[in-house]
Amino acid sequence: MKSLNEHGLATILMILEAFFGGFFSGVVGGLYVPMLTYSGYSLEGVSTVTLFASFLNILVSYIIYYKPEIMSNNAKTKLLVVHFIHRISWILLPLFIGYPDVNIVLYGVAMTLGIPLGVLITIALLDKFKDSEFVKINIYRNSAGSAAILLGHVFTFYTTSTIEPPRSYIISYVISGLIGLVSTLTLIPYQVSKSIKISIERGVSGEEIEVKKINTFLLMIWMFTGGNLLGLAWPQLIKSYGYPVSMTLAINLVGSLIGIIAPYLWKGFRACTIAILINVIFTGLIPFFPQPIIQLTISAGLNASFAGVGIIASAIYAKYIEKVGIVKASTFLTSAGSIGLFIASVIGRLIPSNEFTSIFLIAMLIKTLGLLVVSIGIPET
């Protein structure tokens, strides 16, 4: 009975961590680039901030990928420390918007801490949940996190609509930061073994596995590059139309709402390929329809169709995770997002801020490369 109670407590704690953490992430992550944009940062300026962060992300991902064992000893202590510093780093960001150099470093730290944090959460879960239980707890956490992210986007839309900046930014970050720290507190009673033996890699990956792994990696890099370029440039476009910052948050809100049902819209690899094609098309439409309702509709279409990428990646890695190892697999996928952000940041620095048509067409072409990888390089489609 004792072990059953401990297991039940661990389940509740991890679901609460995902919920409070999801609200925190929905606010600070969704508001950051719009906050920079409406505080006077150009596309080049925003891209400079994200360029440094993405470089640090790639570096840390590389270290963890080749030395995953450094995360498994004293995992509980590392988890609490990283979790706490991660939250504090994000809370401080609005206070340094007027100091670009400090903001670049602080954002780089906040973003990069998310890499080991994700790995440590995975290790803590694997210590308590095995096989089907691990899948089940992740489903619960994803559901709780998605609902909380939606609430976070509702919250930021409300604050930016009713309170003038920069007060709206500070209020949003402080309140969400305190809620984020609640998620840290939920981990204190969570028990983690002092030393955890995680299966790093089982056997030698065959050529077929390596090819599919690399092709999936390329798919995600191209799609994340295009998606991140949209994330950097879209607020600039909305601002150029004369819309308030709340409009960019409305785009996020619609996207997160559709994102909840998006995974259920696509069944099978062929359908996911069609979803990616739709995503490519919608990307190219953005600069040609300034009307708010159409911009929101495009956001809905992009988020609904982008789910196809995640479904393909998850399906392939679920098959081969025993070969690459759970920690390596999660770091491998995370690094794809970091590389995508790095490439998008470089492009954002090179293209003039007012060349919106060029920016979005480049994003469309980059995503087309991802579509080609799916169509040609991943035989399941």
Side-chain angles (χ1 to χ4, degrees):
M1 180 64 71
K2 181 180 178 181
S3 61
L4 177 62
N5 290 337
E6 289 178 353
H7 190 274
L9 177 62
T11 301
I12 292 171
L13 291 174
M14 275 301 182
I15 292 174
L16 289 175
E17 191 280 335
F19 180 80
F20 291 121
F23 182 88
F24 165 79
S25 299
V27 174
V28 300
L31 182 56
Y32 184 69
V33 172
M35 178 175 66
L36 290 184
T37 301
Y38 280 80
S39 297
Y41 282 63
S42 64
L43 176 60
E44 180 182 359
V46 176
S47 298
T48 300
V49 174
T50 57
L51 181 65
F52 178 71
S54 60
F55 173 77
L56 287 182
N57 283 3
I58 294 169
L59 181 62
V60 171
S61 295
Y62 179 86
I63 293 171
I64 294 176
Y65 183 81
Y66 286 101
K67 294 286 184 181
E69 63 275 7
I70 66 175
M71 308 300 295
S72 58
N73 293 326
N74 297 315
K76 172 72 176 290
T77 302
K78 292 175 183 175
L79 175 59
L80 289 175
V81 171
V82 172
H83 210 282
F84 177 76
I85 298 176
H86 178 258
R87 268 47 177 170
I88 295 300
S89 300
W90 278 102
I91 294 173
L92 294 175
L93 280 171
L95 303 178
F96 295 97
I97 291 295
Y99 304 91
D101 292 340
V102 177
N103 189 55
I104 288 173
V105 174
L106 192 58
Y107 179 68
V109 171
M111 280 286 288
T112 304
L113 285 174
I115 304 292
L117 180 57
V119 175
L120 288 166
I121 287 287
T122 299
I123 290 174
L125 289 171
L126 285 170
D127 187 48
K128 285 286 185 289
F129 304 94
K130 309 298 181 184
D131 301 324
S132 62
E133 291 181 345
F134 180 72
V135 175
K136 187 180 295 184
I137 188 62
N138 274 300
I139 292 174
Y140 292 154
R141 282 175 52 82
N142 289 338
S143 298
S146 296
I149 288 173
L150 178 60
L151 291 176
H153 287 161
V154 171
F155 174 71
T156 50
F157 177 73
Y158 173 78
T159 55
T160 56
S161 298
T162 58
I163 304 172
E164 289 294 318
R167 285 185 61 237
S168 58
Y169 305 147
I170 296 173
I171 290 172
S172 297
Y173 267 70
V174 170
I175 292 177
S176 66
L178 293 174
I179 293 174
L181 288 173
V182 172
S183 70
T184 305
L185 293 176
T186 63
L187 293 173
I188 293 177
Y190 187 90
Q191 298 299 314
V192 182
S193 302
K194 198 74 173 178
S195 180
I196 303 171
K197 290 184 179 181
I198 299 295
S199 175
I200 304 302
E201 187 169 349
R202 303 177 186 174
V204 179
S205 298
E207 182 179 350
E208 181 184 3
I209 293 173
E210 288 299 318
V211 169
K212 291 178 180 178
K213 185 176 72 172
I214 291 171
N215 285 338
T216 305
F217 189 58
L218 289 174
L219 163 66
M220 297 190 69
I221 286 177
W222 295 131
M223 295 303 294
F224 277 127
T225 298
N228 282 315
L229 191 54
L230 294 190
L232 295 173
W234 208 342
Q236 301 280 343
L237 178 66
I238 296 299
K239 182 183 178 184
S240 73
Y241 290 150
Y243 299 138
V245 66
S246 58
M247 178 62 188
T248 65
L249 278 303
I251 288 174
N252 289 342
L253 176 58
V254 169
S256 63
L257 182 62
I258 295 298
I260 294 176
I261 63 171
Y264 304 100
L265 300 177
W266 316 103
K267 302 295 182 182
F269 281 93
R270 182 65 60 183
C272 289
T273 302
I274 295 173
I276 295 173
L277 173 61
I278 293 172
N279 191 274
V280 170
I281 295 171
F282 271 58
T283 298
L285 297 177
I286 294 173
F288 300 107
F289 297 95
Q291 299 84 351
I293 187 64
I294 298 182
Q295 289 285 304
L296 294 175
T297 301
I298 291 174
S299 175
L302 285 171
N303 281 274
S305 56
F306 199 87
V309 179
I311 293 171
I312 290 176
S314 298
I316 290 177
Y317 274 85
K319 292 180 181 179
Y320 306 117
I321 199 168
E322 289 191 355
K323 292 293 183 182
V324 299
I326 182 68
V327 176
K328 278 194 171 186
S330 60
T331 308
F332 197 66
L333 295 176
T334 303
S335 65
S338 301
I339 294 172
L341 179 58
F342 182 84
I343 297 172
S345 300
V346 171
I347 295 173
R349 282 179 51 81
L350 296 176
I351 301 178
S353 297
N354 60 344
E355 295 289 338
F356 293 114
T357 301
S358 299
I359 294 170
F360 289 102
L361 288 180
I362 289 173
M364 179 181 176
L365 290 174
I366 290 172
K367 287 185 176 183
T368 301
L369 294 176
L371 178 61
L372 291 175
V373 170
V374 172
S375 303
I376 300 172
I378 302 178
E380 283 88 344
T381 57

